[in-house]
Amino acid sequence: MIVLASLAIALPFCAAFAGMLLGPRLSRLLGARPLPAAESGTGSGTPDAPTTPLPVVRPETGPVPGGGPRAAEMGRLVTADFALRGLPRNGPALIAVVPTAVATVLALVVALTLWRDPGVRGGTLTLVPTGSVDIAIGLQVDGLAALVGLMVCLVALAVQVYSVAYMAKDPRYSSYAAFVSLFTAAMLLVVYAGDLLLLYVGWEVMGVCSYFLIGHHWEERANSRAAVKAFLVTRLGDVGFLLGIFVLGIGAGTFSIGGVLDAVPQLPAGTLTAATLLLLAGVAGKSAQFPLHTWLPDAMAGPTPISALIHAATMVAAGIYVIARLYPAFLAAPGTLTVLGIVAVISMLGSALAALAQDDLKRVLAYSTISQLAYMAAGLAVGAQTAAIFHLVAHGAFKALLFLAAGSVIFVAGSNLLGHYGGLRRAMPVTFWSMTVGYAALVGLPPVSGFFSKDAIIEGARHTAALAGHREPGAGEQGHAALGAAAEVPPPVPDIPAGAAWLIYIGLLVTVGVTAAYATRAWLMTFFGEQRTSFEAREAPALMTWTVAALAVPAALLGFFGLGAAELRPHLVSAGVSLLWAAGGIAVAHLLWNRDPALDPADRLGPVRKVFDRAFYVDEVYAALVVRPVRAVARAVVATDRHGIDALVVGTAGWSRRAGGALRRVQTGNAQAYLTGLLAGVIVIAAGVVILL
Amino acid sequence: MHAAYPAVVSALLFSVGVYGVLARRNAILVLMSVELMLNAVNLNLVAFDALWRDRLHGGQVLTLFTIVIAAAEIGLGLAIVLLVFRNRRMVEVDRLTELGEARRRPAAAEPEPEPVAAAREGDGT
């Protein structure tokens, strides 16, 4: 079974390299022929979107890096509708889709095996001796890993299939698909890793893939800047993450996840708190939580399927997954959980409010991703681990659905801006219904998955808040000891302060309302009213539409799987309260919109809108606090280099030339003078020898 | 015969040669002074060879060597002097300072900062 899991990792990994090296050659081998150019005009004219372009044909489709020899002809001739018919002959697409599909089947087999026979399976390939703590190259699969792995594979498969059509015109599709495969392999490595350092390897490879994919259209400066920003910000968190791994691994004497978790009761509280706080830095970076969240909205510069895969469904979930994986360590450090909870409340509410005012559909979804990830983090902070993972999987499904559907809308409308859509309900029925399911799941309306998972988190928060309120001040020790002994109380309640627990609970509820409002706004502005700009409204290519529709099925039905577990069943009180909030949000958004469907309901926010639109000026604060000082220091360094070090070197040359000038004066060219000097020297030496010896 | 006589004579001869080399201006006289120095050495060699009754007569053999070398040297030296005279119509040693550091004008007494600037200056004149 471990073999299957490792195969599931290895397949996309090999596919990445194969796709990069052999993709275009394979399609030549299969005899792909260029199409007649008649099928152009799928509505993908030059987009006037400020941030993200469509996969437009660029004028310079010459030798672009990674594009392969067919780049030019692909860019000129292949249209998106051809993608489906051309799939059996499209080399890079085959290399991308088939291994991912096989990996999905393998992940499914792994998950089913664990479903029938729960337990932890592990296997170690080899031990890397390091001198102190050995590194085990090994995998470990339990129910959590199998579930998340299956979700990753499914989303990756959907994205790969979708991209075949979406990116059909892109001259660098080959490298794009290869990076998606590499990303899938890295994410599966994170999910299945049995060792913290192995997990870190996958974690970093994901970061690199994210960098390359955000900057896929690097011809535009904004995109490559967004890629660099994402890379730097997540790397900042990763420093903490790596140090946290070291603290935890050296404290426990092993890097294997099972070993670390076994050693948690023996570890001193200070070590655990330090390690988990450091890990939290990496989690905040990867999962885009409050202090390090600024990269995610900008990362929407990447192609839309990438946003679906990396920045919504999988990579950002890796941070949450790592907390869940190491949850006993976090439970034993209530201080960290308190920090996590407060960070989550700030992230969820702030980004939900920011989503309310965004013009760009993808940025709305990006901020909603931050908000939903904060839900999971809050769930983890209040001890609702199962609920958080449930929400992670549900979110993976519905957010991938939302992003891919948004990609279809963008593909058809040729713009990212909400203000350019309108009235797409009739023209794009499949996309409309799929996206409706996605929004319903995002808001948490009853029959679909988001309702169950969100409700479980809110109920967990209420439970913890109620317990924390009744706990005596001195009971911390006791609760800690009980946790250390065994987690026999399902679910274990972390020892966070009552105030924080209530804050989380209230934050969760308020965010439900705001989420409902922004989701309703985006939904109404996209699909209802009148079409605001002129474009040919039609359904997106079949390959894209049906992928979206297929994703709508798990997004809608996943919730019912939660009925099997006691802590995931909906509770009347919290479900009722959150539904009230959601209804309020929807009602407000709808009323504002209904006054004048042509206008943006967010305009009613007045001057606050600007604040929300800029996401509370966090970017500006960072620019003032970090970017400008760093620039000033850099300028100072350059000045020191130029006027200090360089001047010293140049000055040395001047000094030695001046010193040499004295010697030059002796060189008169008069041979007799030289000889006189020689004789004088001989006499001096001889005299010296005679006198001294 | 006492060793001091030839030694003193050759020392005097050598001093005359040194003086000539360092002080004379005419290149031919300089060459002749060099010959004087060589012959001072030759005198020493022969004198001490005879004085110590060297069975292999190393001193005399070395003297023959020196004479041969001196002949070659003077041939070469006179040829050079001849060529110098043909080119310059003079053979005064202290005026043959072409290989020395160039005499600079008083304005450019400071060391020029960059060779590029110097080259440009040279082009301009």
Side-chain angles (χ1 to χ4, degrees), chain B residues 40-89:
Chain B
V41 175
N42 285 349
L43 182 59
N44 258 351
L45 286 172
V46 174
F48 283 94
D49 182 81
L51 202 65
W52 286 345
R53 301 178 205 287
D54 185 12
R55 284 178 56 222
L56 292 175
H57 297 294
Q60 296 182 27
V61 172
L62 206 55
T63 305
L64 287 177
F65 266 123
T66 315
I67 290 169
V68 171
I69 289 169
E73 179 221 311
I74 208 75
L76 203 63
L78 283 176
I80 290 172
V81 169
L82 204 62
L83 283 176
V84 167
F85 182 77
R86 277 197 192 155
N87 278 329
R88 303 180 177 250
R89 295 276 141 205

Side-chain angles (χ1 to χ4, degrees), chain A residues 18-212:
Chain A
M20 191 81 84
L21 297 175
L22 307 174
R25 193 173 299 171
L26 182 63
S27 42
R28 259 207 312 279
L29 207 67
L30 292 171
R33 54 202 150 64
L35 290 201
E39 288 190 58
S40 61
T42 46
S44 65
T46 312
D48 47 352
T51 52
T52 317
L54 272 180
V56 285
V57 187
R58 295 202 151 57
E60 70 280 13
T61 43
V64 273
R70 284 184 64 230
E73 103 195 38
M74 268 188 82
R76 196 172 64 250
L77 296 173
V78 179
T79 63
D81 275 328
F82 171 65
L84 184 58
R85 273 179 283 144
L87 187 57
R89 291 177 187 278
N90 189 343
L94 275 184
I95 291 180
V97 172
V98 173
T100 314
V102 177
T104 309
V105 172
L106 292 177
L108 187 65
V109 171
V110 168
L112 284 180
T113 317
L114 273 168
W115 177 290
R116 293 180 54 175
D117 182 15
V120 179
R121 319 288 168 82
T124 304
L125 180 64
T126 178
L127 272 180
V128 180
T130 60
S132 59
V133 184
D134 289 349
I135 302 169
I137 306 293
L139 303 181
Q140 181 198 353
V141 184
D142 52 7
L144 170 66
L147 182 63
V148 177
L150 182 58
M151 182 208 65
V152 168
C153 280
L154 280 173
V155 173
L157 181 62
V159 166
Q160 286 280 26
V161 172
Y162 183 93
S163 303
V164 172
Y166 190 87
M167 303 294 281
K169 287 188 167 190
D170 195 287
R172 290 193 299 267
Y173 170 73
S174 183
S175 78
Y176 164 87
F179 274 121
V180 172
S181 294
L182 185 61
F183 168 82
T184 312
M187 181 73 197
L188 286 174
L189 183 62
V190 168
V191 171
Y192 290 143
D195 188 276
L196 283 174
L197 283 173
L198 196 62
L199 187 150
Y200 185 71
V201 170
W203 180 275
E204 288 295 324
V205 173
M206 275 201 297
V208 169
C209 288
S210 170
Y211 166 76
F212 281 121

Side-chain angles (χ1 to χ4, degrees), chain A residues 657 664 667-670 672, chain B residues 21 24 96-97 100-101 112-113:
Chain A
R657 185 171 295 147
R664 278 160 68 161
Q667 308 290 325
T668 55
N670 187 344
Q672 286 177 316
Chain B
V21 165
R24 301 305 301 202
L96 297 173
T97 58
E101 189 65 28
E112 318 98 280

Side-chain angles (χ1 to χ4, degrees), chain A residues 654 657-658 661 664-665 667-672 674-676 679, chain B residues 18 21-22 24 30 93-94 96-97 100-101 104 111-114:
Chain A
R657 185 171 295 147
R658 233 162 282 155
R664 278 160 68 161
R665 213 155 292 153
Q667 308 290 325
T668 55
N670 187 344
Q672 286 177 316
Y674 301 163
L675 278 177
T676 314
L679 190 69
Chain B
V18 166
V21 165
L22 295 187
R24 301 305 301 202
V30 171
V93 178
D94 56 352
L96 297 173
T97 58
E101 189 65 28
R104 259 165 284 130
E112 318 98 280
E114 281 167 63

Side-chain angles (χ1 to χ4, degrees), chain A residues 318-335:
Chain A
I320 305 297
Y321 172 79
V322 165
I323 298 187
R325 199 76 203 263
L326 298 171
Y327 202 54
F330 279 84
L331 265 185

Side-chain angles (χ1 to χ4, degrees), chain A residues 585-606:
Chain A
I586 293 174
V588 169
H590 187 260
L591 281 179
L592 286 179
W593 176 80
N594 212 15
R595 283 191 199 166
D596 188 357
L599 288 182
D600 186 347
D603 288 338
R604 302 275 171 187
L605 290 169

